Amino acid sequence: MVLSPSTGIILNNDMDNFSSPNITNSFGIPPSDMNRIKPGRRPFSSMSPAIVTDSNGDVKLVIGGNGGPKITTCMAQCNNRIVMAQRNHLDDFLRGRIIGRLECGRTQLEVSKELGIAQSVISRLWQRFQDDASDLSRQLSSATVTTVSRQTVYRRLGHIGLYARRPVRCVPLTATHCRLRLTWSREHALWTPQQWSCGVFSDESRFSLQSDSRRTLIWRAPGTRYHQENTNERHRYGGAGWLVWGGIILGSRTDLHVQSVTMTCHIYRDVILEQHVRLFRGAMGAEFLFMDDNARPHRANIVDECLQSEDIIRMDWPAYSPDLNPIEHVWDMLGRRIAARQPPPTSLPELRRALLDEWCNILQDQIVNLILSMPRLCKACIALSGRRTTY
């Protein structure tokens, strides 16, 4: 074995690593002219040592192994998997920015330089976007026995006001849900700003380095985003990352709580209520009103007992109603701020720091406007008989 003084990599110097004429080595591999014995030549070692660096020259991966002829391909597969796992996936907002620029006639190279995204990534995104028109073209050709190009389908659909968009994800609503939402909206539609100022709106949300790609597109007309046929109903969202909790009020906001584990009733009581909510209750007095949704950890007996002991009044809240909670818009603001960071977070510790920083950077005026819009939101829900709003 030979130690390289410049890299510290241990190299194999066995003669069997060279190819000898008409001699098959111990692994059954026939000789190769590229690995013949010559003065000053190094053997093609099956260890396959490799050092992967980024564009700045920083080392990102050192890899190698032993085991004969399979090591070269194994090292290549490990390298590809590790590098692919560290790639930043485009979120929905950034994908929309890219598609919008390309639709306006910008070149892929221009968009790549402007947004700092590899041109190959933009090319694949544009290709997937156009593939939907190709599917429609094939279906039309099969039905009419007429050849229709993808661009023709794409152009004609655009002429009649239909564009490829991702379906909106929202929670499913039953008739009971709609009735409870309607009742709640009627009870709060005439609340004054003073009454809304006494309430803290809270919720959890999850942020991850990788987002749901949601590659399925639908063709819809402008203004039909929230129509029933253009929505995808679901109420569970997966993905690894950080779970955050926060609360907003007219004149302030809570600190952002960040954790890696699922919210439990004990964490909710010992951390959220004791360390955050109780402080606001003490500062605001008896008029304080606490809003949280109907998630199981929020409705546990130990949580109810804690609220009673601290004399905290909880606002009644209709189930499956994130569109009625103004903090959902704050999560959207936070997500957009995270997506716009340059460079974007590439690890969970970086994402945690970014979440805490951007939470503090959200303007309080934006939060105030969201809370003061609650009467309009209630009226919109009433107009829809408790069905899903477009907020």
Side-chain angles (χ1 to χ4, degrees):
M1 308 297 284
V2 177
L3 175 66
S4 170
S6 59
T7 65
I9 294 177
I10 299 177
L11 303 174
N12 195 339
N13 67 342
D14 289 345
M15 292 302 294
D16 189 56
N17 282 268
F18 284 110
S19 295
S20 300
N22 302 320
I23 298 178
T24 301
N25 67 11
S26 59
F27 292 103
I29 299 177
S32 169
D33 291 337
M34 298 298 296
N35 202 28
R36 291 288 176 87
I37 300 175
K38 287 186 179 180
R41 172 175 284 183
R42 294 181 180 179
F44 287 131
S45 172
S46 61
M47 178 183 174
S48 301
I51 299 177
V52 181
T53 62
D54 59 15
S55 58
N56 298 323
D58 297 327
V59 175
K60 294 299 182 181
L61 175 67
V62 178
I63 193 171
N66 57 10
K70 296 181 179 179
I71 289 302
T72 302
T73 53
C74 288
M75 292 302 100
Q77 290 179 356
C78 290
N79 176 65
N80 289 340
R81 289 186 178 183
I82 293 173
V83 171
M84 288 294 290
Q86 294 178 346
R87 289 177 57 189
N88 293 325
H89 292 261
L90 303 179
D91 58 30
D92 297 335
F93 177 68
L94 190 53
R95 280 196 293 268
R97 293 176 64 191
I98 294 172
I99 295 298
R101 281 164 170 76
L102 294 176
E103 285 183 319
C104 292
R106 306 283 291 280
T107 66
Q108 295 182 10
L109 181 59
E110 291 174 342
V111 177
S112 172
K113 292 181 177 180
E114 180 180 351
L115 301 180
I117 299 173
Q119 187 175 351
S120 60
V121 176
I122 294 177
S123 176
R124 288 194 297 270
L125 175 63
W126 182 243
Q127 184 62 48
R128 288 199 301 268
F129 181 74
Q130 291 184 316
D131 284 345
D132 289 272
S134 298
D135 292 338
L136 290 173
S137 173
R138 286 191 292 269
Q139 295 174 17
L140 184 59
S141 298
S142 176
T144 63
V145 198
T146 303
T147 301
V148 181
S149 71
R150 176 185 61 193
Q151 289 300 328
T152 298
V153 174
Y154 185 81
R155 185 172 57 254
R156 291 297 179 87
L157 289 174
H159 286 166
I160 63 175
L162 295 179
Y163 302 93
R165 298 292 185 265
R166 290 176 177 82
V168 176
R169 291 190 299 184
C170 53
V171 295
L173 294 176
T174 65
T176 301
H177 294 144
C178 293
R179 185 178 67 256
L180 295 176
R181 287 161 52 88
L182 179 60
T183 300
W184 186 90
S185 298
R186 286 171 174 169
E187 292 175 351
H188 296 82
L190 298 180
W191 270 29
T192 64
Q194 178 61 32
Q195 289 175 295
W196 289 116
S197 68
C198 298
V200 170
F201 293 90
S202 69
D203 195 16
E204 296 99 14
S205 186
R206 182 173 291 277
F207 293 86
S208 62
L209 294 171
Q210 299 179 357
S211 61
D212 180 7
S213 62
R214 296 199 293 163
R215 294 179 179 177
T216 301
L217 299 180
I218 58 173
W219 292 87
R220 63 171 176 81
T224 63
R225 174 182 174 87
Y226 291 96
H227 287 195
Q228 181 68 30
E229 63 273 14
N230 297 334
T231 60
N232 180 19
E233 294 185 341
R234 57 183 295 187
H235 55 80
R236 292 186 180 273
Y237 304 92
W242 295 109
L243 180 71
V244 303
W245 176 93
I248 58 173
I249 197 169
L250 269 181
S252 184
R253 77 194 75 175
T254 68
D255 291 334
L256 188 70
H257 171 73
V258 183
Q259 65 183 48
S260 59
V261 297
T262 303
M263 182 66 72
T264 66
C265 58
H266 290 91
I267 296 177
Y268 194 69
R269 179 194 62 182
D270 299 338
V271 178
I272 303 304
L273 298 183
E274 291 289 345
Q275 300 180 19
H276 296 280
V277 178
R278 187 170 59 88
L279 299 179
F280 272 77
R281 165 63 177 84
M284 297 181 62
E287 295 182 349
F288 177 75
L289 193 61
F290 178 58
M291 174 271 148
D292 60 356
D293 60 23
N294 299 293
R296 290 184 179 180
H298 303 172
R299 294 299 184 262
N301 291 334
I302 61 173
V303 172
D304 292 337
E305 293 171 359
C306 178
L307 293 174
Q308 292 176 6
S309 65
E310 297 293 340
D311 197 21
I312 297 176
I313 300 175
R314 171 185 273 160
M315 179 188 295
D316 292 331
W317 191 255
Y320 285 6
S321 299
D323 57 324
L324 300 181
N325 190 349
I327 201 174
E328 293 296 333
H329 292 278
V330 180
W331 296 142
D332 182 65
M333 295 177 191
L334 184 58
R336 291 174 183 267
R337 284 178 169 272
I338 297 296
R341 288 175 73 95
Q342 293 296 334
T346 57
S347 65
L348 288 179
E350 289 182 5
L351 178 60
R352 186 179 189 277
R353 290 192 294 269
L355 287 168
L356 294 173
D357 291 343
E358 296 299 342
W359 172 258
C360 297
N361 291 336
I362 295 176
L363 298 178
Q364 186 63 33
D365 287 345
Q366 293 178 300
I367 296 177
V368 170
N369 291 335
L370 288 173
I371 296 177
L372 292 181
S373 70
M374 288 301 296
R376 296 195 302 272
L377 177 56
C378 291
K379 293 177 182 178
C381 187
I382 294 172
L384 294 170
S385 300
R387 293 189 298 273
R388 188 180 302 108
T389 68
T390 59
Y391 276 71

